[in-house]
Every structure is written in C-alpha cells, then in structure tokens.
Amino acid sequence: MNSILDLILRLDCWLLLAPLLPGIINKVKAWVAGRRGPPVLQLYYDLARLWKKGVVMSTLASPAFVILPAVTWVALLSAAMLMPLGPLGAGLTFRGDALLWLYLLALGRFCTAWAAMETGSAFEGMGTVREVSYAVLAEAALIAAVLTLSVQSGSISWVTMLGPPMGAGAALLAAGLFIVLLSENCRVPFDDPNTHLELTMIHEAMVLDHSGPPLAAILHGASMKLLLFTVLLVQAVLPMSQLKPLAAGAVLACGVLGVTVAVGLVESLLARFAFRRVPLLLTTAFLLCLFALLVAWKGGLA
Amino acid sequence: MNHAHLNLLIGLAMGLNLLALGTSRLPLLIRAMSAQGVILGVMPTLMERPDWRVLLVAAATIGGKGLFIPGMLRRAMRTVQIDRELEPLIGFVPSILLGAGGTIAALALTPMLPLLPEHANSLLVPGALATVLTGLILLIGRTKAISQACGYLILENGIYLFGLLLIQAMPLMVEAGVLLDLTVGVFILGIIVDRIQRAFDSLDTRKLTALHE
Amino acid sequence: MMYEGVVVGVAVLLLGLAVVAGPWWPRVWLGLTLAGAAAAVGAAVVVLVTGNEWEWRSGFLIGGEGLHVRLDGLSGLFVVLAAGVGAAGAVYSLGYWAERQYPASAARSRTWWSGMVASMLLVVTLSNGLHFLIAWEAFAVCGYFLITLEGEKPAVRAAGWLYLAASHAGTVCLFAFFGLLAAKSGGWELGPMRGDASLAPMFWLALAGFGMKAGLFPLHIWLPSAHANAPSHVSALMSGVAIKMGVYGIVRFSGWLPLPAAAGWVVIGLGAVSALLGIAFALAQNDFKRLLAYCSVENVGIIMIGVGASMLARGHGDAPWGRLALAGALLHVWNHGAFKALLFFGAGSVLHATGTREMSRLGGLWQRMPWTAGLFALGAVAVAGLPPLNGFVSEWLIYLGLIDAVAGKQASALAAMPAAIFLAMAGALALATFAKAGATMFLGAARTKPAAQAHECGNWMLVPMVTLAGICLGLGLAPVLVWPALERAADVWHAGCFASVVVPLVTLGWVQLGLAGLMATAGTMLWRKVRANNLRRGPTWDCGYAAPSARMQYTSGSFGGLAAAWFGWILRPQRMLRRVRGHFPAEAIRLDRVPETMLELVIQPLAERVMQLSTAVRRLQHGHLSVYILYVVAALAALTGLVLLENVP
C-alpha cells in the first residue's frame, strides 16, 4: 500500500511539475527583457490543447512516427523513476541503475531521431545530425560525471552516489553538468528554442512535422528531461545526505528553482553560439567533469 | 604554509591555462593571462609570513603581470586595430585537449620527480609544468604576434611557479630580473608589432617568412 | 560423461556429410547442417548447464600427435555461437544465394559453409597445438572460398586476396606461437600452464596472431573489404563468428598462459581504441555493408575492453570486478553474433531487393519491405547498446566492471577510466551510426528507381532474421538465464579464483521486461488516441518550397559529416568537388570517400617502398653467368678480407 502511494506521489511529482520548468524559464526571460511574458502554466495549456487535436502525418512516414514519441516518453519517465528525489529516494534502485539511466536517455534520443527521419525532410535531417553528433561529446561528459560520483561514493547506484559531499570538485562538476544540461536540453547557447529559422535549430527542427498528441508527448518528455537534469545537477553538487529529510526536500526544490532561473538568465544574456563553436564548449564541459573526477580520485588517495 | 588555499589558487591558474587555450578571442586571452598574473602574485603572501620583501614581490608581480603588461598589450591591440579573432594553427579543441592531457600527465608524473617532502602534496610543480606547456602550445599554435606574446608570458608564469618552490632559498632578485626582462620584452614587442603592422598590414607571423632575403 | 562427446562427434560427422551432400541436394544439406548444429548446440548447452567438462584423449594419431578434444565452458560458449549463426545462415543462404540466381556458386557456397562451421567447431574444441593449427588453417581457407564466391568481380577477388594475405600474416604468428610453446613445454598438448613464468612473453605472439583474425584496430585492414564484398550470409558468419575465433584465442590463451605484466593494459588500450575508431570509421562510410564491417571492429573492441579489464583484475589480487568485465565481454560475444548476423541478413535482403550497397541510393524502403525495416531497426537498437535489448546488458556488465575498478582506486583505475569514457563515446557514436544507416536506407522517400521498386525478401530469409531478433530480445529481457553459463566460462578462464559477485541481473531483467511492456502499451495507446483524434495524411513540411524532391533528403554523407569531421585526423576523407559556376552551370559533382587509412595510407605506401627496394635489388639477378661468377669471387674475396682482418691483432 505504502509503495503504491509512493509511486503515485512520485509520478505526480515528475508528470505534473515538469512542465513548470519551461514556464519559469520563459518568465525569467520575459522579466529580464522587461516584458510580461506568457503565463507560467502556458505549457500545461499547450499540452491540453495538443492532446485533443488531430494529427497530420507525412505521407512518407510509417506508424512508427506516432509510436516512437510514446516510446521516448516512456524512456524518459523510466529514467525519472531511477532518479532519487532527495528524501524520497528513487522509485527503483539497484546496482548499476545510473548506467541504465544514461542509456535510457540514449534510447529516447534514438527514437526521436528515428521518428524525425521518417518524414525525409532535410530540416529534420539537419536537426537529427546535430542532436546525435553533439550527444557524443555530452555523453563523454556525463560518463565522466558518473565516474566522479561513483569514485566519491564508491557505488554505482544513484541513491548512494548522490548523497555524500563533493568537496573541492563540486564547482567543477556543477559547471560541467550545467553545460551538459544546456546542451542535452537544447537550450541557449547550443540551440535557441524560440527561433523561427529551421536552419539554426536542433531539437525543434527534429519535431517540425509532429502534431497533436505525439507532439504533446514530445514536449512533455522534453520538460521531464529538463527536470531530470536539474535534479541531477542539484543533488550531485549539494550534500543531500547530511540534511534532515524536510530540509533536503526544501534544498532540492530551491536548487531546482535556482538552476531553472539560471538557465533563464543564461538565455537572456547569451546569444546562440555558432555551430562550429559548440564542440569546444562541450569539450570544456567534458574536461570540467574529468578534472572533477581527478579531484575526487586524488582526494580519495590522500 | 597554507596548502589548501595555495592548491586552490594553483588549480585556478591551471583552469585559466585551459581558458587561454580554448578562447578564440584575443581580449579574453589577455584577460586570462592577467588574471593568472594576479593569482600568481597573491601566492607568495600565502607561502611566507608576509614581511615587506614578500609584499613587495607580490605587489610587483600583480602590478606587472596583472596590470601593466596586459595593459600594454591591450594598447598595442587598440593602436594597430587588429582583428580580435585568433587564427589558430592548432585548432581550439585539439589545443585544449592537448593542454588537459598535459595537465593530467604533469599531475601523474610529478610524484616520480625527486622533490622535497614538503612539496609532495603541493600542486606547485604540476601547475608549473602545465603552465609552461600551455605557453608552448600557444607559441606553437597561434599565429598573431600578440597571442604569441601571451604565450611567452604564460610560459614565464610557469617558470615563476617553479621559482616559488625556492622562495625561502632564493633571493627575489632572480624573479625581479625575469620580470624586468619581460617588461622590456613587451616594450620592444609593442614597437615591433607596430612596425610589422605598418610593413605588412597584418600581424600574422607566418608572413615574416617573406623577410628571408 | 561420454554423452556430450558422442554428440559433438555426431555434430562434426553430420557437418562433414553436409559438405559432401552440399553440391547436389540443397534440402538434404540443410537438414544435415541444421542437425549437426543442433547436436553441437545441445552438447555445449549440456556442458554450460551442468558444468561438467568433457575431455577426450585418443590414441588415434594425426601428424604423430594423439587426438585431444576438450569441451569446457569457454569452448561451449563459442560452440553455441558458431553452430547457432551457422544454422541461421544456412537457412538464409537457401533464399539469398539460391540455385536459380547463382547456379555457378550456390553449390560451392553450401559446401564451404558446412566446412567452415565444422572447422570452427574444431578450432574451439581441439586441445592440441598441431591440430589446432590445422583446423585454424582449414577455417581460414573455407573463409577465403566463401568470400570469393563471386570471384568474377575484381573487387571481390581483391578483397579475398587481402583476407588471405592478412589471415596468413596472423597464422605466421600463430605458427611461431604454437611452435615455441611446444618447444618450451615439451609437447603440442595444450592446457593450463600458468605455472611456468617463462612462457609469459609468448602472449604477445598470440595477441598479434589472434588479434589479426579478430580485427583489432591497427590489424583490421582486411576486415572492411572482406565483409563488404562477401555475400551477405557469409558476411554474417565472418562478422558474427569468424572474428570471434580470434577473440576465443585471446581469451583461451590468456587463461592458460601466465600473462606479462603489461598484457591487461595493452589489451584494454587496444580495445578502447578499436571501439572508438572502429565506430568513427563506420559512421563515415556510405556503403552499408562496410559500415557494418567497421562496426564489428568496434564490437571486438568492446569485447577486448572487458577481457583486458579482467586481465588487469587478475594482476590486482583477483578483484571481483574482473569477473563482471569478463562475463560482459563473453556475453557480448553472443550478443554481437546475434545482432550483427541479423543486421547483415537485413543488409543482404536490401542488397537482394535493390542491387546496391550505397545507402544514399536507397530510402523509403520501409514501405516495400516492412519486415526487413523493422528487424533492421531492432538490430540497430541492439547494436547501439540501448535498453531493453541484449546489447545493453553486456555493455552494462562491462561498465560495472570498469566502474568498480575506478572506484577501487588502484593503479588499474587509470586504465579503466579512459576505457569507460571511450566506451561511452563509442556507444553514442554507434547510436549516430545506426540512426544514419536505418534512416537513409529505410525512411523518407526513395531516392532512386531500384529503391522504389524493392520487394520484401522471402521466407527462407525472413525466418532466420526473426529468430535472431527473438534471440536479441530474449537475451535482453532474461539475461539472468545465461548468467550461469557466463560464470562457468569465467571459471574456466581463471579457475575459481575470482570471488563471486552479486549482479542484480534479475532486477535488470524485470526492469527491461517492464520497459518493453510499457513502451509497447504506450505506443499502442498513443496510436489509438491519434486514430480517435482524426489522423490525416499530408506532405512533409517543406518550408514553403514548391518543388521538393527526394534528392533533397539528408544522405548518408551529410548525416555522418558533422561527427566524422572530428575524426578527420585519422579518417582522412578524400573529396572531389566541382561547384556550380556561371549562369549556365555544368554538372556539379561532389564525391566523398573515406579510405581505409591503415591500409591505404600506411601499409600500401610501405609495401610500395619495399617493392621499389626489391626491384632495385633484382637488377643483380640478370642471368649473365660470368657476372654470377664474379659475385662468387667478390664474396670469397670479402670473406677472406674479413678473416684476415680478424686475425690482425
């Protein structure tokens, strides 16, 4: 009974709170620019509207075009179930779940890419190529971060990895993970979610042809991914295990809010980078995580 | 000795090395170099009980490396109106990877060196090696005269870090002498940059090969 | 105890009969091959389940040596692989290389096929150095004849020749290895000889010889052209099984021999480099069979990362993570056999239907060949190591081993850290590679006429593909079933010394099962919802462009270009470009080609230099007798001079 309650609470947390994040980011951007901006709950309205709409499917596309967004969404939701939520712990935890988590994100990427290529549109090809190529570098950074956390905690399961204090490497890890967050969620300076030019987009270019409920699944999945990365970033850097449960919950919530606002500020203050500069930034993220790993390793030896 | 703080500062300097390697903008390169100079200047005050000599050196280093020389370079940059984009011979990603690899190698190799026990836990030696390497990569991999000057200065920062190992034993004269040499060097460079610019309409050192006759 | 032995004997006998029956009666041949394979699998499964090794020494002499056969956990693992893929390929070949279409070579294909499967079974079970070499040679030669089934094409002949040359270069190392081993240990008998530390340097010879067959990175030169030019069922056997014989050799002899201190470091390093560069080369290919071939280099690299890690663990007081890494590597041997055979079969059916290996000439095939498209997609998910399929399970085990090694903070962490990072990058690149392959071949619009007129393959080809896909799914959803077999093989490798490790494979299996179920449910529900909401068909979004054509789609070159450019330093892409110029432009051309760098830019120039040198030396050989006598006199004079000089105090 208790576990069912826990599951429902957790699902609510991920499913209902995730669409809040893009709303907050947009609000911050509007606030910096001195506009009123869309309401914070805009994405919820969009999702509800899309869910009721019909779908136009390209004549070239197979049924996978509709099915794969659902698969992606399930992959992201499962990844969310593996991610601990402060005092709540994770929905499911076992040795090596961090690796499953990484590969679930990869599965989501593969399905999105496949669905994007279904239509044979050159724009979607463009977005797909960028997404899967930049992910190579982001993946290197992520695995370095996972290694750092597991060196720090001597474990390879999120619940124990995300507890202990990080020490000096925390700043490096935070910076590295923040860059990866921006890249994996296609935010400025990697991608401009608000642009109207297909040539310069990554994620948005991939989902151009989607409409109706599949698009709703994609948008909701993307917001869950953003929440996933913010939660990871906050818990990786802050010593959650040393706090009392209530305090940990509060710190987590504040941290997530802080990171979201930071994303919004970055988007307000920076312009999108030229695509040839992207590998450099991602390499930097990888090196930051790598040096965090070395610091953790050295710290353990001394 | 305040090891933790010192190591943190050296770590920052190492981070600035990578920034210098990764940036494609000349002003940022100069800024990274000058920040490194300031950090290096603070270090002696952490290592020694700050008497007047140490403070003098610190002040001179901060003033020279952190303010004066970068100021000169900025002025040179402004007066000859050069393009602020760097043109790399070694691309930015390869050079930053080289720099990181060199830093890791320096960290890994330092325990093999015959060092005094009190330096064993310090990042001074790997930091110095990494900084020297960064300077060399900049010297080899960038074409503009000013960016090469930055390479020289970062190289010198590395030598300065080595010098800090001997801060008790060595009179500060050597460091002062090096600093003086550099200042003169930058003066001359400022003049040469101006001349090159007038002669070639460019600051690309590759074009100096045209001088061979 | 005898039971398994009799069954193995029956298996080899049946395959031998199949060799004889092959040319004349295809159905009889198929029956015999399947029965032989089933017998071999049965025997190996018994060994893997019960853990009873079967060993048989006979007084029957071949080449003066008594026959010695051994079927233990490690052999059993490879017997299952060889017999399984051998059987699947046999069925496939009846449809793919049918008598009607290839009257000249279909009979040869069948004969050599059975011969190859039988000789591979012998390679992994024979336990006498001399007989091992004979079986090894037979297997290599069978491979050559299978690759050159279409010997009338020059490209095929060249590929076969390169294969034969490279294979024999490896065999030379093995001759040296087994010869020296026999000389040092006093006999051709093979078995555990870890006690004699002086044997350790021999490992390098074995690594070179077997590494050549396995296609480890600098030694992989023969692999892409051989796998691409061979008929697809042969490519599947070569890639799924034949290169694993090299893996078998490395694993087997690293278990039996004492290891030099650096062995683990070298093997894990080679593995990491092979994994990353193999898949980088794959990403840059435009020929889908070459792409699959390079992907084999990557997968052998992944296997070698696991094997190298377990060697490192052996040097670190038998750390338990070694067992994880080894189990992962061995499972990957099976997994790669299953999904690579599936992918090559899929590639074969595309080739069969369209007649081209150029991905950029295909497109939109899913409409005409939905089964092949779906099965290829499943194979792509598996090969990219994504859950819930089998590729993920083995990579997960290897990762667990590596990360435990890093967390252990011993010296081996310095090897495990980069290996884990390379593995992750290789995984992401594999995802990009197979997104590209699947998308350009099967999705979008048909780019050429043959692609638009493709047809689905027949049941002979479809059934083995479905079976292999089922195996991929089964190994992914219920990995716990094969764990005892892997443990047994790991125990054979390093008898009982690794501490037992607890792996949450049961949990992983349930999670994967749950994932698969949830994905299926969510997909169906969304599809229903969309149907209920009103589904319309319309043209693809074209940004207002009036006349889109199929040529505007992203091709394989444009898809791979971005990430492949990061590896330009080793890929060395060659480009021919004629831009659009003027008011009435002539035809514009852009050709991209990625050479096999090691072969074309390292080995061939070297060989040319050697040829030049030998041509220069050949001038001495001209046929004038008197000058030859002059040589003799000159040599005598030189020798006399030497002797005299030596005597001068």
Side-chain angles (χ1 to χ4, degrees):
Chain A
M1 195 59 218
N2 220 348
S3 63
I4 295 177
L5 204 69
D6 175 82
L7 184 69
I8 292 172
L9 192 65
R10 190 182 302 278
L11 278 175
D12 283 350
C13 223
W14 286 102
L15 294 179
L16 296 182
L17 288 184
L20 207 55
L21 262 58
I24 296 175
I25 293 177
N26 282 337
K27 207 70 186 170
V28 171
K29 283 164 75 176
W31 176 70
V32 172
R35 293 181 281 116
R36 258 214 359 262
V40 176
L41 300 181
Q42 184 60 47
L43 187 54
Y44 295 92
Y45 306 141
D46 289 349
L47 290 176
R49 190 167 45 86
L50 283 172
W51 189 249
K52 289 190 216 114
K53 284 206 158 191
V55 169
V56 183
M57 202 165 121
S58 166
T59 39
L60 297 173
S62 74
F65 183 68
V66 168
I67 293 168
L68 287 178
V71 175
T72 309
W73 184 81
V74 169
L76 289 168
L77 185 64
S78 317
M81 288 299 108
L82 296 175
M83 174 59 61
L85 275 175
L88 274 181
L92 178 71
T93 172
F94 58 96
R95 190 153 165 258
D97 60 0
L99 298 165
L100 179 62
W101 185 87
L102 267 184
Y103 274 77
L104 280 172
L105 295 186
L107 177 66
R109 188 162 68 236
F110 185 83
C111 293
T112 317
W114 189 280
M117 297 303 286
E118 286 269 355
T119 60
S121 151
F123 294 124
E124 267 146 287
M126 233 176 263
T128 311
V129 170
R130 287 167 188 161
E131 169 105 350
V132 295
S133 304
Y134 296 148
V136 174
L137 301 173
E139 191 95 346
L142 268 179
I143 193 82
V146 167
L147 284 172
T148 312
L149 292 169
S150 80
V151 164
Q152 194 73 30
S153 64
S155 151
I156 180 66
S157 130
W158 279 134
V159 176
T160 31
M161 280 162 80
L162 294 178
M166 271 299 295
L172 293 171
L173 193 66
L177 279 178
F178 189 68
I179 298 177
V180 173
L181 180 153
L182 295 177
S183 149
E184 279 287 281
N185 291 290
C186 296
R187 313 299 310 189
V188 174
F190 294 93
D191 187 7
D192 192 346
N194 289 341
T195 180
H196 291 287
L197 189 58
E198 293 90 339
L199 290 172
T200 63
M201 298 192 290
I202 301 176
H203 190 75
E204 296 295 311
M206 288 172 76
V207 301
L208 269 177
D209 265 293
H210 284 284
S211 51
L215 183 59
I218 289 171
L219 290 179
H220 189 260
S223 70
M224 273 201 299
K225 194 174 175 187
L226 182 59
L227 182 58
L228 212 51
F229 272 90
T230 33
V231 169
L232 170 66
L233 171 56
V234 170
Q235 296 191 100
V237 175
L238 298 178
M240 301 300 284
S241 66
Q242 294 181 336
L243 302 171
K244 291 205 179 66
L246 216 57
V251 166
L252 180 60
C254 292
V256 168
L257 191 66
V259 172
T260 318
V261 171
V263 173
L265 288 177
V266 165
E267 298 206 355
S268 315
L269 302 177
L270 273 185
R272 194 180 58 75
F273 276 4
F275 278 122
R276 67 189 162 82
R277 300 264 300 278
V278 167
L280 182 65
L281 194 58
L282 279 172
T283 311
T284 314
F286 165 64
L287 289 178
L288 285 168
C289 292
L290 189 66
F291 279 105
L293 172 59
L294 289 182
V295 169
W297 202 58
K298 271 267 191 217
L301 287 184
Chain B
M1 270 211 206
N2 205 334
H3 257 312
H5 288 141
L6 189 65
N7 279 351
L8 191 65
L9 284 185
I10 299 173
L12 270 180
M14 284 157 125
L16 287 170
N17 282 340
L18 296 187
L19 180 66
L21 287 174
T23 179
S24 60
R25 311 280 299 166
L26 197 46
L28 191 57
L29 176 58
I30 295 175
R31 208 168 300 148
M33 190 198 70
S34 79
Q36 200 176 41
V38 172
I39 289 173
L40 260 50
V42 175
M43 272 179 211
T45 62
L46 287 176
M47 296 179 74
E48 285 287 290
R49 188 173 301 119
D51 62 353
W52 67 270
R53 272 196 342 181
V54 173
L55 284 179
L56 186 71
V57 161
T61 314
I62 293 175
K65 286 181 196 282
L67 304 173
F68 179 65
I69 296 177
M72 290 288 299
L73 289 178
R74 275 196 205 106
R75 239 192 75 188
M77 196 173 75
R78 263 199 307 277
T79 47
V80 295
Q81 304 238 319
I82 54 174
D83 184 16
R84 292 172 186 206
E85 281 288 313
L86 291 170
E87 296 159 32
L89 286 177
I90 304 175
F92 296 114
V93 174
S95 38
I96 199 171
L97 283 178
L98 269 177
T103 309
I104 293 171
L107 285 168
L109 294 181
T110 307
M112 296 178 193
L113 296 177
L115 294 176
L116 289 176
E118 67 249 40
H119 293 140
N121 257 337
S122 157
L123 283 178
L124 265 181
V125 176
L129 287 174
T131 313
V132 168
L133 186 76
T134 306
L136 289 175
I137 295 174
L138 280 177
L139 280 174
I140 297 167
R142 303 286 181 271
T143 51
K144 287 197 172 137
I146 293 191
S147 51
Q148 291 208 328
C150 292
Y152 271 118
L153 288 161
I154 289 178
L155 185 78
E156 199 277 335
N157 284 350
I159 297 168
Y160 174 92
L161 273 175
F162 263 126
L164 286 183
L165 280 177
L166 304 173
I167 191 160
Q168 286 104 337
M170 198 171 73
L172 298 164
M173 288 305 292
V174 177
E175 174 54 31
V178 172
L179 205 58
L180 200 66
D181 280 354
L182 265 173
T183 317
V184 175
V186 172
F187 263 124
I188 295 171
L189 191 94
I191 298 163
I192 289 179
V193 160
D194 196 40
R195 294 282 141 184
I196 298 176
Q197 174 74 9
R198 277 188 207 167
F200 293 95
D201 272 344
S202 151
L203 276 184
D204 195 331
T205 47
R206 282 173 298 187
K207 295 199 178 158
L208 293 183
T209 46
L211 284 177
H212 59 72
E213 291 200 64
Chain C
M1 277 310 281
M2 264 320 278
Y3 164 71
E4 297 94 329
V6 175
V7 178
V8 173
V10 170
V12 173
L13 195 70
L14 287 172
L15 287 169
L17 283 177
V19 171
V20 180
W24 294 285
W25 308 289
R27 298 288 167 100
V28 176
W29 166 79
L30 182 65
L32 286 170
T33 309
L34 288 185
V41 170
V45 165
V46 169
V47 168
L48 286 173
V49 170
T50 62
N52 297 328
E53 290 187 14
W54 174 72
E55 209 172 343
W56 182 60
R57 284 193 172 80
S58 152
F60 182 64
L61 297 183
I62 300 177
E65 289 290 319
L67 207 58
H68 181 192
V69 188
R70 177 200 307 256
L71 183 64
D72 55 13
L74 198 58
S75 313
L77 208 78
F78 286 87
V79 165
V80 171
L81 175 76
V85 177
V91 179
Y92 184 86
S93 73
L94 278 198
Y96 180 70
W97 213 255
E99 203 81 52
R100 268 181 297 112
Q101 278 160 308
Y102 302 94
S105 56
R108 270 188 290 145
S109 152
R110 290 192 291 269
T111 298
W112 291 116
W113 183 272
S114 301
M116 177 131 167
V117 174
S119 54
M120 287 194 294
L121 291 183
L122 288 176
V123 164
V124 295
T125 48
L126 285 178
S127 198
N128 180 298
L130 193 65
H131 301 157
F132 185 99
L133 278 176
I134 294 171
W136 184 264
E137 196 53 30
F139 142 64
V141 170
C142 290
Y144 170 74
F145 284 112
L146 279 174
I147 289 172
T148 52
L149 281 180
E150 281 183 298
E152 65 278 4
K153 295 186 183 168
V156 173
R157 277 204 305 277
W161 176 239
L162 181 60
Y163 162 78
L164 205 60
S167 176
H168 279 93
T171 311
V172 167
C173 295
L174 291 186
F175 266 108
F177 170 65
F178 283 108
L180 284 173
L181 199 64
K184 285 204 172 179
S185 65
W188 288 94
E189 285 291 291
L190 299 176
M193 29 190 131
R194 224 173 290 145
D196 185 0
S198 69
L199 294 178
M202 314 266 294
F203 175 75
W204 300 123
L205 272 177
L207 184 63
F210 290 121
M212 182 68 102
K213 184 57 86 179
L216 275 175
F217 181 67
L219 306 175
H220 69 284
I221 45 162
W222 61 274
L223 195 148
S225 64
H227 288 193
N229 286 304
S232 297
H233 62 298
V234 178
S235 316
L237 189 69
M238 296 293 292
S239 179
V241 190
I243 58 173
K244 303 297 169 31
M245 293 298 116
V247 173
Y248 168 78
I250 293 173
V251 174
R252 173 57 96 193
F253 288 99
S254 65
W256 276 350
L257 295 182
L259 290 179
W265 294 84
V266 171
V267 171
I268 202 172
L270 280 176
V273 170
S274 298
L276 189 64
L277 293 184
I279 198 67
F281 271 97
L283 181 60
Q285 301 303 316
N286 298 321
D287 168 343
F288 56 76
K289 285 186 74 180
R290 264 184 101 82
L291 179 144
L292 290 176
Y294 275 112
C295 170
S296 298
V297 177
E298 180 224 355
N299 280 288
V300 165
I302 292 175
I303 294 169
M304 282 301 132
I305 289 178
V307 174
S310 56
M311 290 182 191
L312 280 178
R314 221 166 90 183
H316 279 82
D318 294 326
W321 44 263
R323 194 192 189 87
L324 281 173
L326 185 65
L330 292 175
L331 182 57
H332 205 74
V333 167
W334 271 3
N335 287 342
H336 179 243
F339 56 62
K340 190 47 69 66
L342 169 62
L343 287 168
F344 264 121
F345 288 168
S349 84
V350 170
L351 186 57
H352 195 254
T354 62
T356 177
R357 299 200 311 242
E358 280 292 319
M359 276 185 276
S360 303
R361 293 186 184 283
L362 302 172
L365 288 181
W366 77 267
Q367 287 170 329
R368 294 295 192 127
M369 21 193 354
W371 279 95
T372 306
L375 292 168
F376 192 93
L378 190 118
V381 173
V383 71
L386 300 176
L389 294 184
N390 57 348
F392 173 68
V393 180
S394 43
E395 288 192 23
W396 181 74
L397 284 169
I398 295 176
Y399 270 124
L400 278 188
L402 291 177
I403 291 183
D404 276 2
V406 175
K409 292 181 182 169
Q410 284 166 311
S412 53
L414 289 178
M417 248 190 263
I421 292 168
F422 274 45
L423 189 54
M425 289 179 75
L429 277 169
L431 191 153
T433 306
F434 282 91
K436 153 182 154 162
T440 35
M441 283 160 75
F442 294 107
L443 304 182
R447 292 182 180 83
T448 55
K449 209 166 175 192
Q453 293 168 346
H455 56 86
E456 183 60 280
C457 56
N459 283 340
W460 282 116
M461 292 155 76
L462 218 46
V463 169
M465 283 162 72
V466 172
T467 316
L468 286 170
I471 291 173
C472 288
L473 198 64
L475 284 175
L477 299 185
V480 70
L481 295 182
V482 297
W483 178 251
L486 299 176
E487 282 210 303
R488 209 135 279 154
D491 280 338
V492 170
W493 185 71
H494 187 44
C497 288
F498 279 143
S500 215
V501 281
V502 186
V503 193
L505 269 180
V506 181
T507 322
L508 184 73
W510 283 116
V511 170
Q512 301 245 62
L513 198 63
L515 265 177
L518 269 178
M519 283 165 185
T521 325
T524 330
M525 279 171 63
L526 192 63
W527 178 245
R528 290 219 176 130
K529 172 75 185 161
V530 166
R531 296 294 293 266
N533 275 17
N534 177 22
L535 175 68
R536 280 190 300 125
R537 289 282 187 168
T540 301
W541 164 244
D542 50 14
C543 200
Y545 185 68
S549 87
R551 297 284 298 276
M552 288 168 63
Q553 297 174 93
Y554 254 48
T555 58
S556 103
S558 47
F559 200 111
L562 182 59
W566 303 337
F567 292 92
W569 52 274
I570 179 110
L571 295 176
R572 305 267 156 196
Q574 297 163 351
R575 172 168 300 169
M576 195 186 121
L577 187 64
R578 197 194 303 151
R579 290 184 183 283
V580 185
R581 279 215 182 84
H583 295 295
F584 301 101
E587 191 183 24
I589 296 177
R590 174 173 163 159
L591 287 176
D592 282 286
R593 177 177 170 276
V594 176
E596 167 43 53
T597 312
M598 285 310 291
L599 180 66
E600 294 179 27
L601 300 180
V602 178
I603 292 184
Q604 275 180 358
L606 215 69
E608 268 161 32
R609 195 58 59 78
V610 170
M611 283 304 280
Q612 278 171 10
L613 214 73
S614 6
T615 320
V617 171
R618 214 178 64 181
R619 286 203 198 114
L620 295 175
Q621 184 80 306
H622 38 58
H624 296 297
L625 184 63
S626 45
V627 183
Y628 286 153
I629 295 172
L630 179 64
Y631 291 163
V632 173
V633 172
L636 272 177
L639 281 174
T640 319
L642 265 180
V643 171
L644 287 178
L645 273 181
E646 214 146 84
N647 287 345
V648 172

